Amino acid sequence: FLSLVAQFCCGFFVILILGNFWFLGVLYLLWLYLDWETPCAGGRRSQWVRSWTVWKYFREYFPIHLIKTSDLNPNHNYLLGFHPHGVLVAGAFGNFCTGPTFKNLFPGLTPYLHIMPIWFGCPFFREYVMSAGMVSASKESVSYVLNNEGGGHASIIVIGGAEEALNAHPGSLTLNILKRKGFIKMALKHGAHLVPVFSFGENELFKQVANPKGSWLRNIQERLQKIMGFALPLFHARGVFQYSFGLIPYRQPIHTVVGSPIPVKQNLNPTSEEIDQLHALYLQKLRKLFEEHKRNYGIPEHKSLIFE
């Protein structure tokens, strides 16, 4: 979805540069140069954009729900680990970038959804995603958000990243997390409390072409992902007037459950052992969150998370 919108924006920019209004394209390039660091400095959100009526229909289409299990004290900063990535990351966008739901459930907290830096190099598209409250997933950007001394900031990071999107098959519960410890280190360095978040239904929105590990398709996808920085899952769902084939996601409910915070004491120079210890605790809390809520959202009793 993001890539399609980004392609449209890039195409519009090329038309602008090559057309009669080339001077507007040149002015925008100057703006892009001067504004290059903004995605790493908290972005530039617009409450007007975040409140567009279209987002209300977007959330109601699935529908998307945000479930609170514990209070989050606005005097602290938080790092929310979002799982799983899915194809669309609909739960993250719908709950943290649109509407008043998050603000109503967690008053005093401002959410920042971190996405890949590559998106902020796309003309015009970067302005749109920043308006929705998205910022870069670079270390500098996460540090900027979590460095707020007064608290009240919440970094949302989709931990599995692009690689996990290739596992986004209906019924899949595989998370790419065992080697992903950078977010743990960031939480320790800034004393940001960790909060596991699991979005039930995220992998049910599309059907993906079979791509088991070791297959020729998976090998190509992984190579492209390393080159471009984002994954290219081959997926389909429903059409506008029929349900057999198309790119519109299925109407499957999404329940994004926000877990209890894991208190983290600031440690500017954490050791590998300290990072591993907190990472293990995070995995434990994430698994517990999933097990406590899976029955409510149609997950069979015998199903459990798979960490790889």
Side-chain angles (χ1 to χ4, degrees):
F1 176 75
L2 284 178
S3 63
L4 290 175
V5 178
Q7 289 174 32
F8 173 82
C9 291
C10 288
F12 177 74
F13 179 72
V14 170
I15 293 173
L16 196 65
I17 285 288
L18 299 178
N20 294 330
F21 298 97
W22 60 267
F23 60 94
L24 293 178
V26 173
L27 287 176
Y28 184 80
L29 284 176
L30 177 60
W31 163 256
L32 194 63
Y33 173 77
L34 296 174
D35 194 57
W36 191 255
E37 297 300 325
T38 301
C40 294
R44 185 172 48 247
R45 69 181 54 223
S46 165
Q47 192 57 42
W48 175 67
V49 173
R50 291 170 59 87
S51 301
W52 282 351
T53 302
V54 66
W55 303 137
K56 174 178 178 290
Y57 294 117
F58 173 80
R59 295 190 302 271
E60 291 178 351
Y61 171 79
F62 298 97
I64 296 175
H65 306 277
L66 186 65
I67 291 86
K68 172 183 176 179
T69 64
S70 176
D71 290 330
L72 298 181
N73 189 333
N75 294 324
H76 298 296
N77 293 318
Y78 298 88
L79 196 161
L80 280 63
F82 184 91
H83 313 271
H85 184 287
V87 172
L88 190 61
V89 204
F93 177 77
N95 286 311
F96 304 123
C97 296
T98 72
T101 305
F102 183 86
K103 182 179 179 180
N104 291 342
L105 289 180
F106 302 101
L109 283 183
T110 301
Y112 296 82
L113 178 60
H114 295 270
I115 63 176
M116 291 182 296
I118 189 174
W119 297 119
F120 296 99
C122 180
F124 301 117
F125 180 73
R126 68 190 298 274
E127 319 303 335
Y128 157 67
V129 293
M130 280 196 289
S131 296
M134 288 178 261
V135 293
S136 173
S138 67
K139 292 180 181 179
E140 295 78 13
S141 178
V142 178
S143 292
Y144 184 93
V145 173
L146 297 181
N147 206 32
N148 184 35
E149 294 184 359
H153 283 188
S155 279
I156 298 99
I157 301 177
V158 184
I159 305 301
E163 183 182 357
E164 192 172 270
L166 300 178
N167 289 329
H169 296 272
S172 174
L173 296 172
T174 300
L175 304 181
N176 293 73
I177 192 172
L178 292 182
K179 295 181 180 179
R180 296 179 181 266
K181 301 179 181 180
F183 74 104
I184 298 292
K185 188 174 182 180
M186 294 299 294
L188 283 166
K189 281 191 170 184
H190 295 281
H193 296 351
L194 281 167
V195 182
V197 178
F198 195 88
S199 194
F200 292 89
E202 200 74 43
N203 284 340
E204 317 305 315
L205 306 185
F206 296 92
K207 292 179 180 178
Q208 190 173 167
V209 175
N211 60 343
K213 287 194 173 182
S215 65
W216 65 270
L217 176 58
R218 186 59 168 258
N219 290 336
I220 292 175
Q221 289 175 321
E222 290 177 346
R223 289 177 185 175
L224 289 175
Q225 186 260 319
K226 290 179 180 178
I227 294 172
M228 298 184 298
F230 58 90
L232 290 174
L234 298 180
F235 60 88
H236 67 88
R238 54 163 290 185
V240 178
F241 301 111
Q242 45 77 30
Y243 296 88
S244 57
F245 189 82
L247 295 179
I248 298 176
Y250 293 115
R251 297 192 69 177
Q252 296 290 337
I254 298 172
H255 295 87
T256 303
V257 184
V258 180
S260 301
I262 303 171
V264 177
K265 185 177 181 181
Q266 187 174 25
N267 184 347
L268 296 178
N269 296 292
T271 64
S272 297
E273 290 75 15
E274 290 169 328
I275 294 173
D276 289 343
Q277 183 178 9
L278 183 55
H279 186 259
L281 177 60
Y282 179 85
L283 294 183
Q284 177 185 334
K285 296 295 185 180
L286 174 60
R287 188 181 295 279
K288 180 180 178 183
L289 177 70
F290 173 80
E291 292 294 332
E292 288 179 346
H293 293 273
K294 67 180 184 182
R295 301 173 190 82
N296 299 331
Y297 307 117
I299 306 296
E301 186 67 32
H302 68 279
K303 291 277 189 175
S304 296
L305 293 179
I306 299 173
F307 297 146
E308 64 174 30

